[in-house]
Amino acid sequence: MPETTETAEPAAPFSTRIREATAREHEEAENSTFITDMLAGVLGIDSYRRYTAQLWFIYRALEEHSAGLADDPVAGPFITPELARTAELERDLAHLAGPGWREQLDPLPATTAYAARIEECARTWPGGYIAHHYTRYLGDLSGGQVIRGHAEKLWDLPHRGDGVRFYVFDGIGNPAAFKREYRALLDRIGADELEQRRILDEGKRAFVLNRAVFTELAGEFAARRPG
Ligand code: HEM
């Protein structure tokens, strides 16, 4: 008997699909040893500085090609200046590492690999770029706020000031509304089913690439862990 599509479940909205496809990976990232230890205060501010430096490479990769993607029919609608983080990271690093911050920048191998994958997507595959865009920016607008709160308290950083500006989106007055609109954009994504599945896979890969950075950071700071 031929398969009928009439009884098939309609596909869930793409924003739901990508959240569900990466839910397990999200939990692993959130509970990674490095993030847990850093936010528990057992690793010291060095760990936060080193982590922030890794973010600089990741956001440079996300943002250096964004102008070229602004007119792309698939990725273009996601490119918006109020999300850009490179300038904020540079202010944070100047505060955390001093005027010589740029010379101290040193990417971990996992960071280099992650940034290279983002750049490859930005240059060759707008749908893949969206998977990376989603994984970082929607996360920063969500769990990022938890990280900011811990960092301010643990290391006495000025509230929403230098050191934590990366987590402060001055151009976004209402983060909840922004996230709603972002999800609506995901739901209108100009991609057929096959391409949507490829983007979901890239979303999982984005989380795996983040976790690899956390694993290397954990290794670097292992000696600071108690007992
Ligand atoms: C969403 C917490 C780490 C990526 C969320 C939400 C929470 C959260 C509460 C839901 C917010 C909402 O529905 O509005 C945390 C905490 C973290 C953490 C506490 C660590 C301390 C991460 C990491 C990534 C990430 C490391 C990826 C690099 C995301 C994404 C979303 C999200 C993409 C949006 C999910 C969606 O609604 O589609 N996070 N998170 N998070 N987080 Fe995290």
Side-chain angles (χ1 to χ4, degrees):
M1 217 165 73
E3 268 191 27
T4 154
T5 50
E6 277 159 17
T7 53
E9 289 276 316
F14 191 64
S15 62
T16 307
R17 291 178 80 188
I18 196 162
R19 185 176 60 229
E20 289 179 354
T22 56
R24 195 169 52 88
E25 284 78 4
H26 181 273
E27 208 177 312
E28 284 171 7
E30 190 178 340
N31 297 316
S32 69
T33 303
F34 177 75
I35 293 288
T36 309
D37 286 353
M38 180 178 75
L39 299 186
V42 298
L43 303 180
I45 194 169
D46 292 3
S47 64
Y48 179 69
R49 179 167 50 234
R50 189 81 168 112
Y51 172 57
T52 305
Q54 303 312 301
L55 292 176
W56 184 84
F57 291 98
I58 295 163
Y59 284 80
R60 189 183 57 162
L62 278 167
E63 292 167 10
E64 74 183 351
H65 296 281
S66 57
L69 283 167
D71 294 329
D72 182 84
V74 176
F78 291 86
I79 311 289
T80 148
E82 58 268 43
L83 285 176
R85 299 289 87 196
T86 305
E88 283 74 7
L89 281 167
E90 295 188 351
R91 273 183 80 167
D92 288 343
L93 285 167
H95 183 78
L96 296 166
W101 66 270
R102 207 176 272 273
E103 290 78 62
Q104 295 172 41
L105 283 175
D106 178 21
L108 288 159
T111 303
T112 303
Y114 182 11
R117 179 61 187 159
I118 294 172
E119 277 169 31
E120 187 178 14
C121 289
R123 278 187 285 102
T124 64
W125 180 28
Y129 177 81
I130 292 173
H132 289 283
H133 193 276
Y134 161 81
T135 302
R136 286 300 336 175
Y137 295 111
L138 222 56
D140 301 332
L141 283 165
S142 310
Q145 301 312 306
V146 177
I147 299 179
R148 177 177 59 76
H150 279 80
E152 287 174 1
K153 278 202 207 78
L154 279 170
W155 303 302
D156 209 16
L157 296 168
H159 180 56
R160 295 169 66 87
D162 287 350
V164 294
R165 287 197 189 274
F166 169 72
Y167 302 97
V168 180
F169 291 84
D170 279 329
I172 298 178
N174 183 341
F178 186 93
K179 280 192 275 185
R180 262 198 310 279
E181 282 164 30
Y182 191 99
R183 291 190 182 109
L185 272 183
L186 286 171
D187 293 343
R188 289 199 299 272
I189 195 163
D192 63 16
E193 176 60 21
L194 183 63
E195 173 70 351
Q196 287 193 22
R197 287 193 198 168
R198 290 179 67 219
I199 297 171
L200 297 179
D201 282 345
E202 189 66 25
K204 289 189 206 173
R205 185 169 177 179
F207 274 89
V208 171
L209 289 163
N210 274 282
R211 211 171 64 222
V213 175
F214 299 156
T215 301
E216 288 186 5
L217 284 165
E220 207 170 81
F221 287 90
R224 309 273 185 92
R225 298 192 77 207

